[in-house]
Amino acid sequence: MQGDVFTLNRGSSPLLLSQPHVGLEIPPSIERRLTEPAKVRPDTDWHIDRLYRDIAEELDATVVTAKYSRYVIDLNRDPDGASLYPGQSVTELCPTTLFDNSKLYLDGLEPDEEEIETRRGVFWQPYHDVLAEEIERIKALHGLERLSTGSVTWSAPDDVARMKQAYVFQSPVMLRRSVRANLGYPLAI
């Protein structure tokens, strides 16, 4: 499925991969206001889509991939612009600096609040809407219901559900395995 701001490849497993920083497109009305260093898009997550393509296909994962650059809007930021990493240096919802703190825009051509709000509606919201829809689809497909009071209820007997479901870890866990093995591990248990 192709959206205006994302590509969606639906899988049937309970794995969803979001690739918010791989996009390269920048509308001409924005690109002409960028500094020369910004035009080469140095803060892009280059080739993440290619890195995960074979694994995603093998594991039949759902993949949502951004088409637009994080310089248009950072899809991995709070929609109100609040820092998700308090105390750390982070870019805004609509970044105005590169990761090296150099200017993204030519002097005086940064987006104003009205433009940021427009970008939020045009680029950020559709991406997050499809993520929410796919999470609900995957939960419905695999029988997982919303968490309530710390328990999980399956639409099948526990022993059957355990044989068909993967675990979702709420804290990142670094396993001494390859990326392929880390993604495949919860699907195999």
Side-chain angles (χ1 to χ4, degrees):
M1 176 178 168
Q2 298 287 325
D4 291 334
V5 299
F6 61 84
T7 300
L8 169 64
N9 292 311
R10 276 199 181 116
S12 62
S13 78
L15 181 61
L16 171 65
L17 299 176
S18 170
Q19 301 174 335
H21 298 141
V22 73
L24 296 173
E25 294 182 34
I26 299 177
S29 62
I30 296 172
E31 188 161 20
R32 70 175 149 259
R33 296 162 34 205
L34 299 180
T35 61
E36 288 305 313
K39 288 180 181 178
V40 297
R41 298 155 176 82
D43 301 329
T44 300
D45 286 352
W46 294 99
H47 310 297
I48 292 294
D49 53 336
R50 291 172 46 201
L51 176 66
Y52 284 96
R53 182 180 303 129
D54 291 344
I55 297 167
E57 287 176 7
E58 183 179 318
L59 299 176
D60 201 17
T62 296
V63 183
V64 181
T65 305
K67 290 183 178 180
Y68 284 87
S69 170
R70 71 186 327 150
Y71 297 160
V72 175
I73 196 158
D74 193 330
L75 297 169
N76 198 27
R77 295 291 177 260
D78 180 85
D80 297 321
S83 175
L84 299 178
Y85 313 103
Q88 294 184 20
S89 177
V90 294
T91 59
E92 308 94 335
L93 183 62
C94 291
T96 57
T97 60
L98 300 173
F99 286 164
D100 68 4
N101 289 320
S102 62
K103 291 182 179 183
L104 185 65
Y105 290 92
L106 298 170
D107 287 336
L109 298 179
E110 299 87 357
D112 60 19
E113 289 303 315
E114 182 179 341
E115 183 178 357
I116 291 169
E117 185 60 35
T118 298
R119 290 188 199 182
R120 183 179 11 237
V122 171
F123 300 101
W124 191 94
Q125 196 61 56
Y127 188 86
H128 286 272
D129 286 348
V130 77
L131 285 177
E133 290 166 11
E134 289 305 304
I135 289 168
E136 290 303 314
R137 181 187 68 81
I138 289 168
K139 287 182 352 185
L141 183 65
H142 293 280
L144 183 64
E145 296 181 3
R146 290 190 182 274
L147 292 179
S148 61
T149 63
S151 64
V152 176
T153 305
W154 304 98
S155 62
D158 283 351
D159 58 331
V160 173
R162 283 189 188 107
M163 296 300 294
K164 296 181 179 181
Q165 300 301 317
Y167 292 95
V168 177
F169 300 100
Q170 293 190 4
S171 304
V173 176
M174 180 61 85
L175 302 174
R176 294 176 194 239
R177 298 182 171 147
S178 67
V179 171
R180 178 183 304 270
N182 277 330
L183 289 172
Y185 177 73
L187 297 175
I189 56 175

